[in-house]
Amino acid sequence: MKRWFLILGCLSLCMIIIVFAGLWNLGALIKKAINTYGTGIINAEVHVGGVQTVLMRGEARLSDFYLGNPSGFTTPHALKAPSVYVDLDEASLVGNTNVIEKIELIRPEINYEKVKGTDNFKQLIKNINGSPGRQGKRETGNKEKVGKRLIIRDVIFRDAEVTLALSGRIGHRVSA
């Protein structure tokens, strides 16, 4: 009987260590997930240089964020920012709606490109919505199951540089 308690205690201790190690390395796990799976989800290159998290406050800082353009667009990238701050309502993670209170991009370089009746950002959103697992409503038996919703309350751009390109010709550079 003592032997079973010892085995159960060791297994519990191992699980606690694994959970804390995962939480301790959360920034590295997020970085790896973005750099590994992001491009496949949005059909455009995406990567970050680093991610720092403050788990108890639901905050994350991304460094060297890069979002490329989908195919068919000629500008060098859609968005590039040396620093991105994200403030998440951590209590919303357990519900059906995740809430991001604020996304703040510091010195982003934004290329807005219009080609053939669409633009690069609309195409990126279309790619995300069309990716596997993001089909919105799915039927499960007789009931429709709705996927998780996302609400972003504020998006702030600080010291942004915006380029407008129409039909593949690069236009004016505008600071905002």
Side-chain angles (χ1 to χ4, degrees):
M1 187 73 155
K2 288 182 183 182
R3 185 175 189 198
W4 283 106
F5 283 124
L6 182 63
I7 292 172
L8 186 60
C10 287
L11 287 175
S12 298
L13 182 61
C14 288
M15 291 300 292
I16 290 170
I17 290 171
I18 290 170
V19 168
F20 277 110
L23 293 176
W24 186 264
N25 293 319
L26 188 60
L29 293 172
I30 293 170
K31 175 185 172 184
K32 184 166 179 66
I34 291 170
N35 292 342
T36 303
Y37 303 110
T39 298
I41 292 171
I42 64 171
N43 292 321
E45 185 179 353
V46 62
H47 57 82
V48 294
V51 177
Q52 296 176 336
T53 59
V54 180
L55 190 61
M56 294 303 180
R57 293 194 308 224
E59 297 175 353
R61 289 197 185 279
L62 287 67
S63 62
D64 299 323
F65 178 77
Y66 179 88
L67 174 61
N69 271 319
S71 62
F73 295 89
T74 58
T75 52
H77 56 269
L79 188 142
K80 185 166 78 168
S83 180
V84 178
Y85 169 77
V86 179
D87 183 11
L88 173 73
D89 177 0
E90 63 276 5
S92 72
L93 292 174
V94 295
N96 288 332
T97 302
N98 293 343
V99 178
I100 296 176
E101 296 294 339
K102 177 171 64 170
I103 299 175
E104 185 174 358
L105 295 102
I106 312 298
R107 293 186 327 275
E109 295 175 21
I110 302 166
N111 290 308
Y112 177 76
E113 184 176 354
K114 288 198 66 96
V115 174
K116 297 178 185 173
T118 191
D119 63 67
N120 51 345
F121 288 96
K122 283 182 185 173
Q123 186 61 47
L124 286 167
I125 291 169
K126 185 177 176 183
N127 291 352
I128 292 168
N129 289 333
S131 70
R134 290 286 307 153
Q135 301 300 325
K137 293 181 180 179
R138 304 180 292 279
E139 285 195 29
T140 308
N142 293 333
K143 298 179 183 178
E144 281 189 356
K145 184 177 178 184
V146 178
K148 279 195 168 245
R149 294 181 48 211
L150 175 67
I151 296 173
I152 301 173
R153 298 208 191 276
D154 288 314
V155 178
I156 300 167
F157 298 92
R158 300 229 188 264
D159 302 321
E161 189 175 283
V162 180
T163 300
L164 171 63
L166 301 172
S167 297
R169 294 183 307 253
I170 296 192
H172 293 7
R173 200 168 270 274
V174 180
S175 293

PDB file of all heavy atoms in Angstrom, residues 117-138:
ATOM      1  N   GLY A 117      -9.370  44.403 -56.865  1.00  0.00           N
ATOM      2  CA  GLY A 117     -10.585  44.498 -56.061  1.00  0.00           C
ATOM      3  C   GLY A 117     -10.474  44.019 -54.627  1.00  0.00           C
ATOM      4  O   GLY A 117     -11.475  43.942 -53.928  1.00  0.00           O
ATOM      5  N   THR A 118      -9.306  43.671 -54.182  1.00  0.00           N
ATOM      6  CA  THR A 118      -9.123  43.281 -52.783  1.00  0.00           C
ATOM      7  C   THR A 118      -7.836  43.918 -52.276  1.00  0.00           C
ATOM      8  O   THR A 118      -7.159  44.630 -52.989  1.00  0.00           O
ATOM      9  CB  THR A 118      -9.100  41.743 -52.614  1.00  0.00           C
ATOM     10  OG1 THR A 118      -9.171  41.430 -51.217  1.00  0.00           O
ATOM     11  CG2 THR A 118      -7.864  41.125 -53.225  1.00  0.00           C
ATOM     12  N   ASP A 119      -7.526  43.683 -51.017  1.00  0.00           N
ATOM     13  CA  ASP A 119      -6.263  44.187 -50.467  1.00  0.00           C
ATOM     14  C   ASP A 119      -5.598  43.084 -49.653  1.00  0.00           C
ATOM     15  O   ASP A 119      -6.214  42.055 -49.369  1.00  0.00           O
ATOM     16  CB  ASP A 119      -6.486  45.460 -49.633  1.00  0.00           C
ATOM     17  CG  ASP A 119      -7.350  45.236 -48.413  1.00  0.00           C
ATOM     18  OD1 ASP A 119      -6.908  44.525 -47.489  1.00  0.00           O
ATOM     19  OD2 ASP A 119      -8.470  45.788 -48.361  1.00  0.00           O
ATOM     20  N   ASN A 120      -4.345  43.320 -49.311  1.00  0.00           N
ATOM     21  CA  ASN A 120      -3.567  42.280 -48.645  1.00  0.00           C
ATOM     22  C   ASN A 120      -4.146  41.900 -47.274  1.00  0.00           C
ATOM     23  O   ASN A 120      -4.107  40.735 -46.893  1.00  0.00           O
ATOM     24  CB  ASN A 120      -2.087  42.659 -48.545  1.00  0.00           C
ATOM     25  CG  ASN A 120      -1.825  44.018 -47.963  1.00  0.00           C
ATOM     26  OD1 ASN A 120      -2.719  44.865 -47.846  1.00  0.00           O
ATOM     27  ND2 ASN A 120      -0.582  44.274 -47.603  1.00  0.00           N
ATOM     28  N   PHE A 121      -4.707  42.860 -46.538  1.00  0.00           N
ATOM     29  CA  PHE A 121      -5.246  42.532 -45.208  1.00  0.00           C
ATOM     30  C   PHE A 121      -6.554  41.753 -45.311  1.00  0.00           C
ATOM     31  O   PHE A 121      -6.791  40.828 -44.534  1.00  0.00           O
ATOM     32  CB  PHE A 121      -5.381  43.794 -44.366  1.00  0.00           C
ATOM     33  CG  PHE A 121      -4.044  44.324 -43.925  1.00  0.00           C
ATOM     34  CD1 PHE A 121      -3.417  45.336 -44.637  1.00  0.00           C
ATOM     35  CD2 PHE A 121      -3.390  43.790 -42.840  1.00  0.00           C
ATOM     36  CE1 PHE A 121      -2.163  45.808 -44.255  1.00  0.00           C
ATOM     37  CE2 PHE A 121      -2.143  44.244 -42.444  1.00  0.00           C
ATOM     38  CZ  PHE A 121      -1.529  45.252 -43.159  1.00  0.00           C
ATOM     39  N   LYS A 122      -7.404  42.106 -46.272  1.00  0.00           N
ATOM     40  CA  LYS A 122      -8.629  41.317 -46.481  1.00  0.00           C
ATOM     41  C   LYS A 122      -8.282  39.887 -46.865  1.00  0.00           C
ATOM     42  O   LYS A 122      -8.924  38.945 -46.412  1.00  0.00           O
ATOM     43  CB  LYS A 122      -9.496  41.957 -47.569  1.00  0.00           C
ATOM     44  CG  LYS A 122     -10.268  43.156 -47.120  1.00  0.00           C
ATOM     45  CD  LYS A 122     -11.137  43.688 -48.244  1.00  0.00           C
ATOM     46  CE  LYS A 122     -11.823  44.974 -47.824  1.00  0.00           C
ATOM     47  NZ  LYS A 122     -12.548  45.583 -48.963  1.00  0.00           N
ATOM     48  N   GLN A 123      -7.253  39.739 -47.706  1.00  0.00           N
ATOM     49  CA  GLN A 123      -6.848  38.398 -48.124  1.00  0.00           C
ATOM     50  C   GLN A 123      -6.289  37.595 -46.952  1.00  0.00           C
ATOM     51  O   GLN A 123      -6.561  36.408 -46.818  1.00  0.00           O
ATOM     52  CB  GLN A 123      -5.830  38.460 -49.260  1.00  0.00           C
ATOM     53  CG  GLN A 123      -5.475  37.103 -49.831  1.00  0.00           C
ATOM     54  CD  GLN A 123      -6.670  36.375 -50.429  1.00  0.00           C
ATOM     55  OE1 GLN A 123      -7.428  36.971 -51.182  1.00  0.00           O
ATOM     56  NE2 GLN A 123      -6.841  35.113 -50.082  1.00  0.00           N
ATOM     57  N   LEU A 124      -5.535  38.251 -46.074  1.00  0.00           N
ATOM     58  CA  LEU A 124      -5.015  37.555 -44.892  1.00  0.00           C
ATOM     59  C   LEU A 124      -6.161  37.076 -44.007  1.00  0.00           C
ATOM     60  O   LEU A 124      -6.148  35.940 -43.512  1.00  0.00           O
ATOM     61  CB  LEU A 124      -4.074  38.469 -44.102  1.00  0.00           C
ATOM     62  CG  LEU A 124      -2.700  38.708 -44.733  1.00  0.00           C
ATOM     63  CD1 LEU A 124      -1.995  39.869 -44.040  1.00  0.00           C
ATOM     64  CD2 LEU A 124      -1.859  37.456 -44.697  1.00  0.00           C
ATOM     65  N   ILE A 125      -7.179  37.926 -43.794  1.00  0.00           N
ATOM     66  CA  ILE A 125      -8.336  37.538 -42.976  1.00  0.00           C
ATOM     67  C   ILE A 125      -9.095  36.391 -43.645  1.00  0.00           C
ATOM     68  O   ILE A 125      -9.508  35.437 -42.978  1.00  0.00           O
ATOM     69  CB  ILE A 125      -9.249  38.752 -42.720  1.00  0.00           C
ATOM     70  CG1 ILE A 125      -8.526  39.732 -41.788  1.00  0.00           C
ATOM     71  CG2 ILE A 125     -10.586  38.319 -42.124  1.00  0.00           C
ATOM     72  CD1 ILE A 125      -9.192  41.075 -41.650  1.00  0.00           C
ATOM     73  N   LYS A 126      -9.251  36.479 -44.965  1.00  0.00           N
ATOM     74  CA  LYS A 126      -9.909  35.404 -45.703  1.00  0.00           C
ATOM     75  C   LYS A 126      -9.134  34.095 -45.538  1.00  0.00           C
ATOM     76  O   LYS A 126      -9.727  33.036 -45.338  1.00  0.00           O
ATOM     77  CB  LYS A 126     -10.014  35.787 -47.177  1.00  0.00           C
ATOM     78  CG  LYS A 126     -10.776  34.812 -48.017  1.00  0.00           C
ATOM     79  CD  LYS A 126     -10.873  35.321 -49.447  1.00  0.00           C
ATOM     80  CE  LYS A 126     -11.550  34.309 -50.337  1.00  0.00           C
ATOM     81  NZ  LYS A 126     -11.586  34.746 -51.731  1.00  0.00           N
ATOM     82  N   ASN A 127      -7.809  34.172 -45.599  1.00  0.00           N
ATOM     83  CA  ASN A 127      -6.980  32.979 -45.416  1.00  0.00           C
ATOM     84  C   ASN A 127      -7.166  32.383 -44.024  1.00  0.00           C
ATOM     85  O   ASN A 127      -7.255  31.172 -43.866  1.00  0.00           O
ATOM     86  CB  ASN A 127      -5.505  33.303 -45.634  1.00  0.00           C
ATOM     87  CG  ASN A 127      -5.171  33.619 -47.072  1.00  0.00           C
ATOM     88  OD1 ASN A 127      -5.990  33.467 -47.968  1.00  0.00           O
ATOM     89  ND2 ASN A 127      -3.960  34.097 -47.301  1.00  0.00           N
ATOM     90  N   ILE A 128      -7.210  33.242 -43.003  1.00  0.00           N
ATOM     91  CA  ILE A 128      -7.386  32.760 -41.625  1.00  0.00           C
ATOM     92  C   ILE A 128      -8.741  32.091 -41.470  1.00  0.00           C
ATOM     93  O   ILE A 128      -8.850  30.995 -40.916  1.00  0.00           O
ATOM     94  CB  ILE A 128      -7.228  33.918 -40.613  1.00  0.00           C
ATOM     95  CG1 ILE A 128      -5.782  34.400 -40.591  1.00  0.00           C
ATOM     96  CG2 ILE A 128      -7.682  33.474 -39.216  1.00  0.00           C
ATOM     97  CD1 ILE A 128      -5.579  35.706 -39.861  1.00  0.00           C
ATOM     98  N   ASN A 129      -9.798  32.732 -41.966  1.00  0.00           N
ATOM     99  CA  ASN A 129     -11.143  32.165 -41.843  1.00  0.00           C
ATOM    100  C   ASN A 129     -11.312  30.882 -42.642  1.00  0.00           C
ATOM    101  O   ASN A 129     -12.132  30.041 -42.293  1.00  0.00           O
ATOM    102  CB  ASN A 129     -12.196  33.183 -42.258  1.00  0.00           C
ATOM    103  CG  ASN A 129     -12.333  34.296 -41.243  1.00  0.00           C
ATOM    104  OD1 ASN A 129     -12.058  34.115 -40.062  1.00  0.00           O
ATOM    105  ND2 ASN A 129     -12.754  35.458 -41.696  1.00  0.00           N
ATOM    106  N   GLY A 130     -10.532  30.706 -43.705  1.00  0.00           N
ATOM    107  CA  GLY A 130     -10.628  29.507 -44.527  1.00  0.00           C
ATOM    108  C   GLY A 130      -9.702  28.388 -44.103  1.00  0.00           C
ATOM    109  O   GLY A 130      -9.736  27.308 -44.673  1.00  0.00           O
ATOM    110  N   SER A 131      -8.860  28.639 -43.087  1.00  0.00           N
ATOM    111  CA  SER A 131      -7.916  27.606 -42.665  1.00  0.00           C
ATOM    112  C   SER A 131      -8.643  26.486 -41.929  1.00  0.00           C
ATOM    113  O   SER A 131      -9.705  26.694 -41.362  1.00  0.00           O
ATOM    114  CB  SER A 131      -6.816  28.205 -41.781  1.00  0.00           C
ATOM    115  OG  SER A 131      -7.335  28.593 -40.541  1.00  0.00           O
ATOM    116  N   PRO A 132      -8.104  25.260 -41.954  1.00  0.00           N
ATOM    117  CA  PRO A 132      -8.745  24.141 -41.265  1.00  0.00           C
ATOM    118  C   PRO A 132      -8.965  24.455 -39.787  1.00  0.00           C
ATOM    119  O   PRO A 132      -8.115  25.011 -39.128  1.00  0.00           O
ATOM    120  CB  PRO A 132      -7.736  22.992 -41.427  1.00  0.00           C
ATOM    121  CG  PRO A 132      -6.904  23.374 -42.602  1.00  0.00           C
ATOM    122  CD  PRO A 132      -6.868  24.879 -42.616  1.00  0.00           C
ATOM    123  N   GLY A 133     -10.139  24.114 -39.295  1.00  0.00           N
ATOM    124  CA  GLY A 133     -10.439  24.352 -37.887  1.00  0.00           C
ATOM    125  C   GLY A 133     -11.011  25.738 -37.621  1.00  0.00           C
ATOM    126  O   GLY A 133     -11.373  26.058 -36.513  1.00  0.00           O
ATOM    127  N   ARG A 134     -11.113  26.588 -38.656  1.00  0.00           N
ATOM    128  CA  ARG A 134     -11.652  27.939 -38.480  1.00  0.00           C
ATOM    129  C   ARG A 134     -12.859  28.149 -39.388  1.00  0.00           C
ATOM    130  O   ARG A 134     -13.052  29.201 -39.944  1.00  0.00           O
ATOM    131  CB  ARG A 134     -10.584  28.986 -38.817  1.00  0.00           C
ATOM    132  CG  ARG A 134      -9.469  29.073 -37.846  1.00  0.00           C
ATOM    133  CD  ARG A 134      -9.862  29.748 -36.571  1.00  0.00           C
ATOM    134  NE  ARG A 134     -10.453  31.034 -36.865  1.00  0.00           N
ATOM    135  CZ  ARG A 134     -11.314  31.640 -36.102  1.00  0.00           C
ATOM    136  NH1 ARG A 134     -11.719  31.096 -34.999  1.00  0.00           N
ATOM    137  NH2 ARG A 134     -11.825  32.804 -36.417  1.00  0.00           N
ATOM    138  N   GLN A 135     -13.672  27.150 -39.564  1.00  0.00           N
ATOM    139  CA  GLN A 135     -14.801  27.237 -40.483  1.00  0.00           C
ATOM    140  C   GLN A 135     -16.028  27.855 -39.833  1.00  0.00           C
ATOM    141  O   GLN A 135     -17.078  27.909 -40.443  1.00  0.00           O
ATOM    142  CB  GLN A 135     -15.145  25.846 -41.034  1.00  0.00           C
ATOM    143  CG  GLN A 135     -14.013  25.190 -41.777  1.00  0.00           C
ATOM    144  CD  GLN A 135     -13.542  25.988 -42.968  1.00  0.00           C
ATOM    145  OE1 GLN A 135     -14.320  26.631 -43.642  1.00  0.00           O
ATOM    146  NE2 GLN A 135     -12.243  25.976 -43.213  1.00  0.00           N
ATOM    147  N   GLY A 136     -15.898  28.350 -38.586  1.00  0.00           N
ATOM    148  CA  GLY A 136     -17.055  28.979 -37.929  1.00  0.00           C
ATOM    149  C   GLY A 136     -18.005  27.914 -37.426  1.00  0.00           C
ATOM    150  O   GLY A 136     -17.675  27.116 -36.570  1.00  0.00           O
ATOM    151  N   LYS A 137     -19.232  27.858 -38.003  1.00  0.00           N
ATOM    152  CA  LYS A 137     -20.238  26.903 -37.555  1.00  0.00           C
ATOM    153  C   LYS A 137     -19.958  25.527 -38.141  1.00  0.00           C
ATOM    154  O   LYS A 137     -19.644  25.380 -39.302  1.00  0.00           O
ATOM    155  CB  LYS A 137     -21.623  27.366 -37.991  1.00  0.00           C
ATOM    156  CG  LYS A 137     -22.058  28.636 -37.306  1.00  0.00           C
ATOM    157  CD  LYS A 137     -23.435  29.021 -37.753  1.00  0.00           C
ATOM    158  CE  LYS A 137     -23.864  30.296 -37.061  1.00  0.00           C
ATOM    159  NZ  LYS A 137     -25.174  30.731 -37.474  1.00  0.00           N
ATOM    160  N   ARG A 138     -20.110  24.531 -37.284  1.00  0.00           N
ATOM    161  CA  ARG A 138     -19.961  23.152 -37.716  1.00  0.00           C
ATOM    162  C   ARG A 138     -21.147  22.377 -37.180  1.00  0.00           C
ATOM    163  O   ARG A 138     -21.607  22.626 -36.067  1.00  0.00           O
ATOM    164  CB  ARG A 138     -18.669  22.537 -37.150  1.00  0.00           C
ATOM    165  CG  ARG A 138     -17.427  23.311 -37.486  1.00  0.00           C
ATOM    166  CD  ARG A 138     -16.193  22.655 -36.891  1.00  0.00           C
ATOM    167  NE  ARG A 138     -16.127  22.700 -35.452  1.00  0.00           N
ATOM    168  CZ  ARG A 138     -15.722  23.754 -34.740  1.00  0.00           C
ATOM    169  NH1 ARG A 138     -15.422  24.873 -35.327  1.00  0.00           N
ATOM    170  NH2 ARG A 138     -15.637  23.687 -33.432  1.00  0.00           N
TER     171      ARG A 138
END
